[in-house]
Each structure stands twice: as C-alpha cells, then as structure tokens.
Amino acid sequence: MSADDHYFTAAPASAAQRRSMTVELAGREVTVQTASGIFSPEGVDKGTAVLLRVAPAPPTAGALLDLGCGWGPITLTLALRSPGAQVWGVDVNERSLDLLRTTASSLGLESVQACRPEDVPDALSFEAIWSNPPIRVGKAVLHDMLLTWLPRLVVGGAAYLVVQKNLGSDSLQRWLTDQLPADAYAVSRFASDKGFRVLEVRRTA
C-alpha cells in the first residue's frame, strides 16, 4: 500500500498485487482473492474472526448487510451460511469490491451484491447487519455511517459490530445508546473476546 493509500480509499493508487489464499469461512475451506491497497490483505483479521465466531446464526432469508466489507470474509460467510438470503457487501474501496465479486462468482454465490453505499436501493431494509466498522476513518465519519445504516434494520432485526476495546468499543456503545431512540433500539454488549467487544444493536420498534 502506498503512503497515500488507506483501506478506505475509493481507488487505491498502489499496484493491485492480487493473490489467492485459502481461508476457513462458515466451517469450510474456500479460496479467496485479496490484494494490496485494501484492509487486511493477508487474511481474516482478528476482529472479524471474533465476530464470525461469536455472532448468532444469521437470518436465513431477506437482505443481510456487511458494512465495510473489504475483500469479503463477512459477506462470504453470510452467503455461505444463509444461501436463501440476499447478501450485500458495501465498501467505498473499488478494489475490495472487485475482489469480493471475483471470489463470490468463483464460489457460485449468486446472492452476493458487492457495491458502493450509494448503489444500495434506498427502499431496501435489512434483517441483519454485521460489521467490523472502519474505526480509523474518525468519529465523525463513523458516526454518520452508523446513523445512516442502523435505521435500515427491520423491526426485530439486529446489527453486530466488532470493535477493539482499546479503540473505543465501550465509548461507542455509550454513544449508540445516547443517539438511538430508546423506544426503538436496544444496545448491548453481546460478547467480549481477545480484546474485542461485539456490540448488538437490535431494532425493537
């Protein structure tokens, strides 16, 4: 990754340097595509691994969202575990989206939609949102992102967000509790594991 690149850069300037690797997702070994200029190109990062290990089984139907999908470990896991659902992997990094599309196609996961945030239909609501949110974009961008997407949960749906403890998981939980209407959302710590918190945001009304 060049000095001017970040994983939240829309079009990384560095050469792609694509590679295939085998990882375990949804209890099976799969071959995925990664590249430089994206988040965690060397494999499944620790936070995502915690989320995939402790989150409850995803809904089997409807629309599911991976917010900040990167090369796609969460998106691919949701699609493998819930083949009857439509799974949306959303990211601003075009290289990440292209990698996800390539891997999903190679695995025959036709339910996967990989796109930029503005390309998700405005009327679409989600049964579940799973995310390892991009904390390093800064609080203003992160907060705007969460307040944009969490209200798109269906009533009864839930979001699971994994955040490293020393990067502000507890303060983010308090902020979500303060910002989201208490009569429509329940915010809680769902799990703690290996220095990470998994926060649950459930829409109740």
Side-chain angles (χ1 to χ4, degrees), residues 86-188:
Q86 185 180 48
V87 184
W88 293 76
V90 171
D91 207 297
V92 298
N93 187 308
E94 294 286 0
R95 185 174 295 172
S96 293
L97 295 172
D98 186 52
L99 292 165
L100 175 54
R101 293 184 193 109
T102 299
T103 300
S105 177
S106 71
L107 296 175
L109 299 175
E110 298 180 359
S111 65
V112 169
Q113 302 287 329
C115 64
R116 292 176 57 83
E118 60 267 27
D119 296 328
V120 179
D122 291 337
L124 187 64
S125 296
F126 298 96
E127 272 66 28
I129 298 172
W130 288 17
S131 180
N132 183 351
I135 299 297
R136 296 184 189 279
V137 297
K139 285 186 178 181
V141 175
L142 175 68
H143 291 172
D144 181 68
M145 181 176 72
L146 293 175
L147 291 181
T148 296
W149 293 97
L150 291 174
R152 296 181 68 167
L153 284 167
V154 301
V155 175
Y160 294 92
L161 314 173
V162 64
V163 181
Q164 197 168 347
K165 182 179 178 181
N166 64 11
L167 290 181
S169 59
D170 294 344
S171 61
L172 180 62
Q173 181 179 345
R174 290 190 295 269
W175 179 84
L176 287 167
T177 301
D178 291 341
Q179 293 294 315
L180 297 171
D183 59 352
Y185 296 89
V187 180
S188 63

Side-chain angles (χ1 to χ4, degrees), residues 1 5-11 37-39 91-93 134 136-138:
M1 191 179 295
D5 280 353
H6 301 279
Y7 62 81
F8 43 85
T9 298
I38 67 169
F39 176 66
D91 207 297
V92 298
N93 187 308
R136 296 184 189 279
V137 297

